[in-house]
Every structure is written in structure tokens, then in C-alpha cells.
């Protein structure tokens, strides 16, 4: 064996077992996440804007108040920032997500099924978007 073949053999012996181990870890992690999601458990931080805070914000916005006026009265109930006020950006984001869910309720209902199909390796079919005139 010449020096190049020795280097190549050393590289293969060093990298392939690690690559296989990484792939095993990746597959185990994905299986665990899939199992947890089927049980209704999802990781990540708790949401900053709770449903109660969102409804308060929606009601006050309907009464003509600005987000800047609403923000000091909202208090985060859990997590690292418990007891503090959410940022104005978080409130705007929650209001925008709510508006999107209201505008396209069928998409919000079908999203979990589409995600499960993607995880199973299936590709969900196209959907027709029904647009109604005001």
C-alpha cells in the first residue's frame, strides 16, 4: 500500500462508523419526536401569548386601542419571563397568526394531517383554494 491508500483507509475507518452512529442517533430522535407528537406532546418553549391574553388583545383592539396601549396590561403567566409584559412584536405576531387562522380555517385544520403524511414519507395532494367574493 502506498501512502495515499493508507490515508484513505484511515479516513474511511475514522469517518464511516461516526457517520453510521450519527444516522442512528438521528433516526432515534425522529422516532421519539414522532411518538411524542402522536401523544400530543410537543417540545419548545411555552407560548408567550396565551389564549386569554389573545382574547383580551382582540377585544381591546376592537374597541380601538393600540397594541402599545394594551401591552402594559398583559402579563406572561409561565416560563423564563413569567410576571413580565410580552413585547409589542409578540402581540402583533399573535394577532397576525390569529387573523391567518380565521381567514383560512380549513388549512389550520388539515395542517397536522399533512405534517403526519410528510413524516410517513407521503406527499399530500394539492388542494383547491376556494375564494369567496365579499
Amino acid at each position: 500500500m502506498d501512502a495515499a491508500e493508507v490515508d484513505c483507509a484511515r479516513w474511511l475507518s475514522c469517518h464511516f462508523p461516526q457517520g453510521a452512529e450519527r444516522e442512528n442517533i438521528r433516526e432515534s430522535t425522529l422516532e421519539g419526536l414522532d411518538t411524542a407528537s402522536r401523544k400530543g406532546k410537543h417540545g419548545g418553549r411555552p407560548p408567550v401569548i396565551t389564549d386569554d391574553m389573545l382574547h383580551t388583545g382582540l377585544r381591546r383592539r376592537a374597541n380601538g386601542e393600540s397594541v402599545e396601549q394594551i401591552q402594559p396590561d398583559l402579563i406572561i403567566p409561565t416560563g423564563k419571563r413569567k410576571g413580565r409584559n410580552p413585547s409589542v412584536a409578540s402581540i402583533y405576531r399573535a394577532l397576525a397568526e390569529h387573523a391567518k387562522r380565521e381567514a383560512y380555517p380549513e388549512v389550520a385544520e388539515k395542517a397536522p394531517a399533512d405534517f403526519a403524511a410528510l413524516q410517513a414519507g407521503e406527499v399530500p395532494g394539492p388542494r383547491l383554494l376556494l375564494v369567496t367574493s365579499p
Side-chain angles (χ1 to χ4, degrees), residues 19-91:
E21 182 62 25
R22 282 190 194 127
E23 186 62 28
N24 289 340
I25 291 171
R26 180 179 174 280
E27 288 175 7
S28 298
T29 301
L30 290 175
E31 287 173 10
L33 289 171
D34 185 46
T35 302
S37 115
R38 279 190 259 120
K39 291 180 182 178
K41 300 181 185 247
H42 302 281
R45 292 183 180 177
V48 170
I49 306 294
T50 62
D51 289 340
D52 291 338
M53 293 167 73
L54 177 64
H55 293 300
T56 299
L58 289 169
R59 183 174 34 83
R60 290 178 64 178
R61 285 286 285 177
N63 290 334
E65 291 185 59
S66 70
V67 171
E68 288 79 9
Q69 292 171 324
I70 298 168
Q71 185 255 350
D73 297 332
L74 300 177
I75 309 265
I76 299 171
T78 60
K80 182 170 80 173
R81 298 193 61 221
K82 179 179 179 179
R84 296 173 64 192
N85 304 103
S87 69
V88 173
S90 293
I91 298 169

Side-chain angles (χ1 to χ4, degrees), residues 1-17:
M1 286 180 129
D2 65 347
E5 290 175 346
V6 171
D7 287 341
C8 184
R10 186 178 306 138
W11 184 84
L12 288 173
S13 67
C14 290
H15 288 84
F16 274 136

